[in-house]
Amino acid sequence: MNDVSQPAPVRPALREVVRADGGRLLALLIRQLGDFQLAEDCLQDALTSAMEHWQRNGVPSSPEGWLLQVARRKAIDRLRRAARLRDKGAEYAHLLELEATQPEVAPEQIPDERLRLIFTCCHPALDERTRVALTLRTLGGLTTEEIARAFVVKPSTMAQRLVRARRKITKAGIPFRVPDAEEWPARLHGVLTVLYLVFNEGYASSGAPYIRADLCEEAIRLARILLGLCPEEPELEGLLALMGLHHARRPARLGPDGAMVPLEEQDRAAWDHEAIAAGAALVERALRRGRPGPYQIQAAIGALHAEAPSAAETDWHQIVLLYEALEKHRDNPVYALNRIAAIAHTRGAGEALNQLEPLQRSLGDYQPLHALKADLLRRQGQYAEAVQAYDRAIARANNDADRRFLEKRRASMSH
Amino acid sequence: MKYLLLIYGAPDASPTPDSPEFEAYMAGYVKADETFDKQGVMRGGEALEGTDTATSVRVRGGKTETMDGPFAETKEQLGGFYLLDCDNLDDAIRYAAMIPDAATGTVEIRPVMDVSQFAE
């Protein structure tokens, strides 16, 4: 189908438009059509149309404007054909008017309804995996296949999940709007959770490869878009800083043997120090707003790690204090676990092991707990018990990178 | 949009008439009813007698079968309902949260099917 004399190939150009647009077109269409699935279908129609037309006539100067025009026309067609005019009468009339009065749409004229879109995708009436999938699809512009791969499900399963989600939004009357002041904190928290889930899936994936930089970068990109839309949210700034600081260490996190490299052994020269500086500045800016929260605190901890010239020169005392502050915000045993790991550096492995005992009851079979216990026992020279703990940690590891690292540590004790 | 709010609870979870919490519990329902009326969303609502008074009916092969008891024996049982006509799910959720039994049981919100889509 493509011949050698073709100008810039259409498919990648189209894909780039969809990705870069970050859901702005879809958000506007949803607003104007009052229907998530209809908007999605019309945009898909427009993309199919674009493949054909741009192949013949080249990519237009305003690709977004072109797509919006065509999507609107497709909507007019669909509404007319489906005899849904009765309940879509107002939208139909409005579309016809826009068609008549707005022959050309410049990108600046496309209002940004993405804030409504993000909050709708992350509505609490949708379950968490649905929120994540829908956000990646509509705002991230990832294909269904890409999202399916990220979360290790069949593409057909993911497609069904998305269809069900849009159907629920329409049938159950999930409103397309930004939450009011009363609901804002809880709803924003929901959005941040979704973004963090996407990031974590890229940071420590349960599938292969272990690190999916594209997902991390997607989460960071979406968080930046959101920050542009709500510029004064400290927890959002904290989350963006946290993700940036974690991601900055990516080049050093995996060894050539595919084993995870722990923080204290990572080659700090390989870290992205520009990103670290940016992350540190961002969390400082957030904290100055005087509304601390879990993401800001975790980002502050991340900054202390990332800015330390070496593991030995890390301000472990400050880190312990920050974890204590974090635990006050949320009684999460995982935070306690991390605090205890830090205490091993301020008060020694023995004290840390003492503090780990009661935690074992609430965390039970949590793999990182076994891994930490093994490490502490090893540092104490209690090799027999360390081996047992390493075995437990290895058995529960859900990825090869962690497993290989733990096996190496276990083996290192028999010399 | 019409929503049916189905109130589920364990039979012993809500306060009995002789308990000290009963007055506050009933006052909660009065307040919910008043709010729904005032907001213009109320289209119906009733408390139901317990599942031990239920009868279930099936017609199979032209024969009507009746069974003593509810459709399903579950720990949380249907104890009542409201039919509300409100703007969107967020409103329905806010109203559901006002129902006293939501504190000990569960309120399921089901959108009522719009049958006009099938009409010609």
mmCIF file of all heavy atoms in Angstrom, chain A residues 37-59:
data_model
loop_
_atom_site.group_PDB
_atom_site.id
_atom_site.type_symbol
_atom_site.label_atom_id
_atom_site.label_comp_id
_atom_site.label_asym_id
_atom_site.label_seq_id
_atom_site.Cartn_x
_atom_site.Cartn_y
_atom_site.Cartn_z
ATOM 1 N N GLN A 37 -19.142 6.558 24.828
ATOM 2 C CA GLN A 37 -18.931 5.554 23.777
ATOM 3 C C GLN A 37 -19.118 6.175 22.398
ATOM 4 O O GLN A 37 -18.365 5.891 21.478
ATOM 5 C CB GLN A 37 -19.889 4.371 23.973
ATOM 6 C CG GLN A 37 -19.649 3.208 23.018
ATOM 7 C CD GLN A 37 -18.325 2.517 23.242
ATOM 8 O OE1 GLN A 37 -18.033 2.017 24.328
ATOM 9 N NE2 GLN A 37 -17.495 2.475 22.220
ATOM 10 N N LEU A 38 -20.145 7.031 22.274
ATOM 11 C CA LEU A 38 -20.396 7.696 21.000
ATOM 12 C C LEU A 38 -19.195 8.538 20.606
ATOM 13 O O LEU A 38 -18.746 8.519 19.458
ATOM 14 C CB LEU A 38 -21.661 8.555 21.100
ATOM 15 C CG LEU A 38 -22.056 9.334 19.838
ATOM 16 C CD1 LEU A 38 -22.361 8.377 18.694
ATOM 17 C CD2 LEU A 38 -23.263 10.231 20.120
ATOM 18 N N ALA A 39 -18.645 9.272 21.570
ATOM 19 C CA ALA A 39 -17.480 10.122 21.304
ATOM 20 C C ALA A 39 -16.297 9.270 20.842
ATOM 21 O O ALA A 39 -15.608 9.596 19.874
ATOM 22 C CB ALA A 39 -17.111 10.909 22.555
ATOM 23 N N GLU A 40 -16.075 8.159 21.551
ATOM 24 C CA GLU A 40 -14.977 7.254 21.205
ATOM 25 C C GLU A 40 -15.163 6.709 19.790
ATOM 26 O O GLU A 40 -14.239 6.695 18.985
ATOM 27 C CB GLU A 40 -14.972 6.125 22.241
ATOM 28 C CG GLU A 40 -14.089 4.950 21.942
ATOM 29 C CD GLU A 40 -12.630 5.167 22.301
ATOM 30 O OE1 GLU A 40 -12.365 5.890 23.275
ATOM 31 O OE2 GLU A 40 -11.770 4.610 21.601
ATOM 32 N N ASP A 41 -16.404 6.289 19.470
ATOM 33 C CA ASP A 41 -16.687 5.726 18.141
ATOM 34 C C ASP A 41 -16.451 6.763 17.051
ATOM 35 O O ASP A 41 -15.872 6.455 16.001
ATOM 36 C CB ASP A 41 -18.139 5.223 18.073
ATOM 37 C CG ASP A 41 -18.359 3.975 18.899
ATOM 38 O OD1 ASP A 41 -17.365 3.287 19.228
ATOM 39 O OD2 ASP A 41 -19.525 3.687 19.241
ATOM 40 N N CYS A 42 -16.910 7.989 17.282
ATOM 41 C CA CYS A 42 -16.766 9.037 16.260
ATOM 42 C C CYS A 42 -15.310 9.410 16.054
ATOM 43 O O CYS A 42 -14.879 9.682 14.928
ATOM 44 C CB CYS A 42 -17.579 10.277 16.641
ATOM 45 S SG CYS A 42 -19.329 9.949 16.624
ATOM 46 N N LEU A 43 -14.553 9.411 17.140
ATOM 47 C CA LEU A 43 -13.133 9.732 17.001
ATOM 48 C C LEU A 43 -12.429 8.616 16.216
ATOM 49 O O LEU A 43 -11.602 8.886 15.347
ATOM 50 C CB LEU A 43 -12.492 9.928 18.373
ATOM 51 C CG LEU A 43 -11.040 10.419 18.376
ATOM 52 C CD1 LEU A 43 -10.884 11.689 17.546
ATOM 53 C CD2 LEU A 43 -10.563 10.659 19.795
ATOM 54 N N GLN A 44 -12.790 7.384 16.505
ATOM 55 C CA GLN A 44 -12.230 6.252 15.756
ATOM 56 C C GLN A 44 -12.570 6.349 14.285
ATOM 57 O O GLN A 44 -11.730 6.115 13.416
ATOM 58 C CB GLN A 44 -12.757 4.911 16.313
ATOM 59 C CG GLN A 44 -12.126 4.486 17.632
ATOM 60 C CD GLN A 44 -10.615 4.408 17.560
ATOM 61 O OE1 GLN A 44 -10.042 3.798 16.669
ATOM 62 N NE2 GLN A 44 -9.950 5.064 18.501
ATOM 63 N N ASP A 45 -13.824 6.728 13.992
ATOM 64 C CA ASP A 45 -14.240 6.935 12.601
ATOM 65 C C ASP A 45 -13.345 7.984 11.941
ATOM 66 O O ASP A 45 -12.908 7.816 10.798
ATOM 67 C CB ASP A 45 -15.692 7.467 12.531
ATOM 68 C CG ASP A 45 -16.713 6.389 12.856
ATOM 69 O OD1 ASP A 45 -16.337 5.204 12.925
ATOM 70 O OD2 ASP A 45 -17.893 6.755 13.044
ATOM 71 N N ALA A 46 -13.113 9.076 12.667
ATOM 72 C CA ALA A 46 -12.300 10.167 12.126
ATOM 73 C C ALA A 46 -10.865 9.707 11.878
ATOM 74 O O ALA A 46 -10.248 10.079 10.880
ATOM 75 C CB ALA A 46 -12.324 11.357 13.083
ATOM 76 N N LEU A 47 -10.341 8.888 12.772
ATOM 77 C CA LEU A 47 -8.963 8.391 12.605
ATOM 78 C C LEU A 47 -8.865 7.490 11.373
ATOM 79 O O LEU A 47 -7.900 7.563 10.613
ATOM 80 C CB LEU A 47 -8.511 7.644 13.860
ATOM 81 C CG LEU A 47 -8.312 8.516 15.107
ATOM 82 C CD1 LEU A 47 -8.110 7.661 16.351
ATOM 83 C CD2 LEU A 47 -7.129 9.457 14.928
ATOM 84 N N THR A 48 -9.864 6.653 11.198
ATOM 85 C CA THR A 48 -9.892 5.778 10.008
ATOM 86 C C THR A 48 -9.934 6.629 8.749
ATOM 87 O O THR A 48 -9.224 6.372 7.775
ATOM 88 C CB THR A 48 -11.134 4.867 10.051
ATOM 89 O OG1 THR A 48 -11.138 4.184 11.295
ATOM 90 C CG2 THR A 48 -11.111 3.864 8.912
ATOM 91 N N SER A 49 -10.779 7.647 8.784
ATOM 92 C CA SER A 49 -10.901 8.581 7.670
ATOM 93 C C SER A 49 -9.567 9.266 7.388
ATOM 94 O O SER A 49 -9.168 9.437 6.239
ATOM 95 C CB SER A 49 -11.953 9.630 8.049
ATOM 96 O OG SER A 49 -12.602 10.087 6.935
ATOM 97 N N ALA A 50 -8.888 9.657 8.462
ATOM 98 C CA ALA A 50 -7.613 10.355 8.327
ATOM 99 C C ALA A 50 -6.579 9.482 7.619
ATOM 100 O O ALA A 50 -5.809 9.952 6.775
ATOM 101 C CB ALA A 50 -7.096 10.787 9.695
ATOM 102 N N MET A 51 -6.546 8.200 8.007
ATOM 103 C CA MET A 51 -5.598 7.266 7.377
ATOM 104 C C MET A 51 -5.703 7.360 5.857
ATOM 105 O O MET A 51 -4.711 7.433 5.154
ATOM 106 C CB MET A 51 -5.894 5.827 7.798
ATOM 107 C CG MET A 51 -5.229 5.383 9.076
ATOM 108 S SD MET A 51 -3.430 5.484 9.019
ATOM 109 C CE MET A 51 -3.077 4.354 7.690
ATOM 110 N N GLU A 52 -6.949 7.360 5.359
ATOM 111 C CA GLU A 52 -7.216 7.407 3.922
ATOM 112 C C GLU A 52 -6.840 8.756 3.325
ATOM 113 O O GLU A 52 -6.053 8.863 2.406
ATOM 114 C CB GLU A 52 -8.713 7.230 3.727
ATOM 115 C CG GLU A 52 -9.148 6.061 2.894
ATOM 116 C CD GLU A 52 -10.652 6.116 2.752
ATOM 117 O OE1 GLU A 52 -11.126 6.954 1.951
ATOM 118 O OE2 GLU A 52 -11.324 5.362 3.466
ATOM 119 N N HIS A 53 -7.453 9.820 3.916
ATOM 120 C CA HIS A 53 -7.326 11.148 3.330
ATOM 121 C C HIS A 53 -5.914 11.698 3.404
ATOM 122 O O HIS A 53 -5.429 12.312 2.457
ATOM 123 C CB HIS A 53 -8.299 12.121 4.016
ATOM 124 C CG HIS A 53 -9.699 11.982 3.560
ATOM 125 N ND1 HIS A 53 -10.351 12.937 2.809
ATOM 126 C CD2 HIS A 53 -10.579 10.971 3.732
ATOM 127 C CE1 HIS A 53 -11.578 12.524 2.544
ATOM 128 N NE2 HIS A 53 -11.743 11.323 3.100
ATOM 129 N N TRP A 54 -5.252 11.504 4.556
ATOM 130 C CA TRP A 54 -3.918 12.070 4.710
ATOM 131 C C TRP A 54 -2.913 11.343 3.825
ATOM 132 O O TRP A 54 -1.908 11.912 3.403
ATOM 133 C CB TRP A 54 -3.474 12.028 6.173
ATOM 134 C CG TRP A 54 -4.335 12.834 7.098
ATOM 135 C CD1 TRP A 54 -5.484 13.524 6.778
ATOM 136 C CD2 TRP A 54 -4.139 13.030 8.492
ATOM 137 N NE1 TRP A 54 -6.006 14.130 7.889
ATOM 138 C CE2 TRP A 54 -5.194 13.846 8.964
ATOM 139 C CE3 TRP A 54 -3.166 12.607 9.396
ATOM 140 C CZ2 TRP A 54 -5.315 14.227 10.290
ATOM 141 C CZ3 TRP A 54 -3.268 13.001 10.718
ATOM 142 C CH2 TRP A 54 -4.335 13.803 11.153
ATOM 143 N N GLN A 55 -3.207 10.080 3.542
ATOM 144 C CA GLN A 55 -2.358 9.300 2.631
ATOM 145 C C GLN A 55 -2.370 9.960 1.252
ATOM 146 O O GLN A 55 -1.344 10.118 0.619
ATOM 147 C CB GLN A 55 -2.933 7.885 2.523
ATOM 148 C CG GLN A 55 -1.931 6.821 2.142
ATOM 149 C CD GLN A 55 -1.345 6.172 3.369
ATOM 150 O OE1 GLN A 55 -0.376 6.680 3.937
ATOM 151 N NE2 GLN A 55 -1.937 5.074 3.805
ATOM 152 N N ARG A 56 -3.583 10.372 0.849
ATOM 153 C CA ARG A 56 -3.746 10.966 -0.480
ATOM 154 C C ARG A 56 -3.307 12.419 -0.512
ATOM 155 O O ARG A 56 -2.617 12.848 -1.428
ATOM 156 C CB ARG A 56 -5.210 10.886 -0.927
ATOM 157 C CG ARG A 56 -5.531 9.612 -1.720
ATOM 158 C CD ARG A 56 -6.951 9.615 -2.251
ATOM 159 N NE ARG A 56 -7.917 9.233 -1.229
ATOM 160 C CZ ARG A 56 -9.038 9.899 -0.981
ATOM 161 N NH1 ARG A 56 -9.340 10.975 -1.660
ATOM 162 N NH2 ARG A 56 -9.856 9.498 -0.030
ATOM 163 N N ASN A 57 -3.728 13.201 0.507
ATOM 164 C CA ASN A 57 -3.547 14.652 0.443
ATOM 165 C C ASN A 57 -2.487 15.200 1.398
ATOM 166 O O ASN A 57 -2.319 16.403 1.498
ATOM 167 C CB ASN A 57 -4.880 15.361 0.752
ATOM 168 C CG ASN A 57 -6.015 14.804 -0.079
ATOM 169 O OD1 ASN A 57 -5.806 14.370 -1.213
ATOM 170 N ND2 ASN A 57 -7.204 14.778 0.497
ATOM 171 N N GLY A 58 -1.806 14.319 2.116
ATOM 172 C CA GLY A 58 -0.805 14.798 3.084
ATOM 173 C C GLY A 58 -1.446 15.153 4.421
ATOM 174 O O GLY A 58 -2.656 15.321 4.521
ATOM 175 N N VAL A 59 -0.586 15.286 5.434
ATOM 176 C CA VAL A 59 -1.074 15.617 6.791
ATOM 177 C C VAL A 59 -1.490 17.092 6.801
ATOM 178 O O VAL A 59 -0.713 17.958 6.402
ATOM 179 C CB VAL A 59 0.023 15.350 7.845
ATOM 180 C CG1 VAL A 59 -0.437 15.772 9.230
ATOM 181 C CG2 VAL A 59 0.412 13.879 7.834
#
